[in-house]
Amino acid sequence: MSAPDPVELCVEALATARVQGLSADAPIHALASTLGAEFTEHGTSGGMYRDFGRVECHYERLGPDEPWQGRFLVVRADRLPARVCLDDLQEELRRVGQSLVPLPPARHDSPDTILRAPLSGSTLTVTDDGTVLAIAAPVWPVPESPALPEARWRAVCDSLHHLLPLIRTERSEWLAVRVPDSAEAADWWTSLLHPLPTLRFGDPQQAAAWAGLELWLLDRAGDAAAWPRDEWVWRWMWFVRSLTPRAAAPHAADLTRVSLAALPMTVAQLHALPPDWRALTAADLRRARTARALLSVATAYGARVMG
């Protein structure tokens, strides 16, 4: 396949978090057939990336015996045959109803300017003269979970330890008297869920039980519309992708059920969308990405339920 125009390659990554129609969680054979069969591999025990030249695919895994999971693609604009200018990308994004917003310096430690495409979650690194260096396109955006003060962390952990052995009816009663008014609900739910991955990884003997509690709480947060639906989906996806097979196995049916219930479109509607991303509205791009993510969970865990 011929290499796309440098600007088009970058705009697609910013607008859709995909490169030539692929995201970082695409199978390696699909990436190789699209980006080139020749690549070099670099990494450590917990992180690895495959360098295809123009594009890198970055992976993480939960442990030395766990599978690698694609996390984000990086378009190396500094390696493209022609210089890519920020102004050109901004103009192209405006044509498809999108834009870039600067990230505050406190949010990154780069000497260069970092901008973000809100719809895709992709970030762009640009020099002072407007030359684009790289674009990082995540499989899905990272949900924000601000660090809790130590006293608050301990109090939330105590609450979660209290909830862990309770049956669902008892958990529901506990929630009913504690969920605050809607103005504060999002922060309350974020704080309640924040320590759960740490508790799960720190207690491997009860990892499945902790996963069950987190699944149930995320399901309740979705019912309560604690966050905008898109944000809930990305929190759900980060939870699912953080599960080891041992922690996930007892919950395969619920993982499938919740993912299918959250689909923003049917499989037929997804397949009927135009293949050219520029023919899609911003709403369609968002819905398609959400549907693909949730279907990947439902397909994986549904197969386990069916044996």
Side-chain angles (χ1 to χ4, degrees):
M1 183 179 293
S2 60
D5 173 78
V7 171
E8 178 63 21
L9 186 75
C10 293
V11 171
E12 182 189 5
L14 287 170
T16 71
R18 296 165 77 85
V19 171
Q20 294 182 262
L22 298 175
S23 63
D25 60 350
I28 184 59
H29 64 81
L31 291 167
S33 64
T34 300
L35 303 177
E38 298 294 327
F39 62 85
T40 57
E41 196 170 287
H42 313 266
T44 61
S45 60
M48 178 263 287
Y49 71 95
R50 290 175 171 141
D51 188 344
F52 294 88
R54 296 174 296 122
V55 177
E56 299 169 352
C57 188
H58 289 248
Y59 301 82
E60 292 178 355
R61 61 180 175 182
L62 302 176
D65 298 321
E66 301 297 334
W68 291 106
Q69 302 181 65
R71 290 300 195 195
F72 57 93
L73 296 172
V74 175
V75 177
R76 292 295 304 268
D78 57 342
R79 297 178 183 172
L80 296 177
R83 175 176 176 263
V84 178
C85 300
L86 174 61
D87 289 346
D88 293 336
L89 296 186
Q90 289 177 317
E91 180 179 352
E92 290 297 319
L93 285 172
R94 281 194 291 269
R95 291 180 179 178
V96 294
Q98 296 195 45
S99 60
L100 296 170
V101 295
L103 285 182
R107 295 275 301 278
H108 62 85
D109 57 4
S110 171
D112 299 305
T113 300
I114 309 291
L115 299 101
R116 183 176 182 271
L119 180 67
S120 68
S122 296
T123 54
L124 175 149
T125 305
V126 60
T127 62
D128 290 340
D129 69 351
T131 298
V132 177
L133 298 178
I135 295 167
V139 173
W140 43 78
V142 179
E144 296 224 6
S145 294
L148 299 177
E150 184 177 351
R152 176 64 174 153
W153 174 275
R154 289 198 303 269
V156 174
C157 287
D158 288 344
S159 294
L160 294 169
H161 277 101
H162 171 75
L163 284 170
L164 185 64
L166 300 184
I167 62 174
R168 293 189 176 190
T169 301
E170 293 169 329
R171 290 175 178 175
S172 296
E173 292 172 351
W174 186 93
L175 279 179
V177 298
R178 287 171 174 82
V179 178
D181 294 338
S182 58
E184 302 174 359
D187 289 342
W188 186 88
W189 279 103
T190 300
S191 296
L192 183 64
L193 289 161
H194 188 43
L196 278 164
T198 300
L199 295 172
R200 173 159 40 92
F201 284 112
D203 188 5
Q205 295 304 314
Q206 293 201 86
W210 284 115
L213 175 59
E214 191 166 359
L215 187 161
W216 185 82
L217 287 171
L218 278 165
D219 201 4
R220 301 289 72 72
D223 291 342
W227 308 287
R229 198 59 176 170
D230 289 345
E231 183 177 347
W232 179 90
V233 168
W234 304 133
R235 290 182 182 278
W236 173 255
M237 292 304 301
W238 276 97
F239 159 64
V240 175
R241 289 291 290 267
S242 73
L243 294 175
T244 63
R246 179 179 178 181
H251 310 295
D254 280 334
L255 291 166
T256 303
R257 172 186 59 80
V258 174
S259 296
L260 290 175
L263 285 175
M265 62 172 66
T266 66
V267 175
Q269 290 171 329
L270 178 62
H271 290 165
L273 291 174
D276 179 6
W277 69 267
R278 285 180 177 270
L280 301 176
T281 65
D284 283 338
L285 285 172
R286 183 184 294 110
R287 291 167 62 236
R289 189 183 187 193
T290 302
R292 291 189 192 99
L294 293 168
L295 283 170
S296 71
V297 176
T299 300
Y301 289 101
R304 300 181 195 184
V305 173
M306 298 300 291

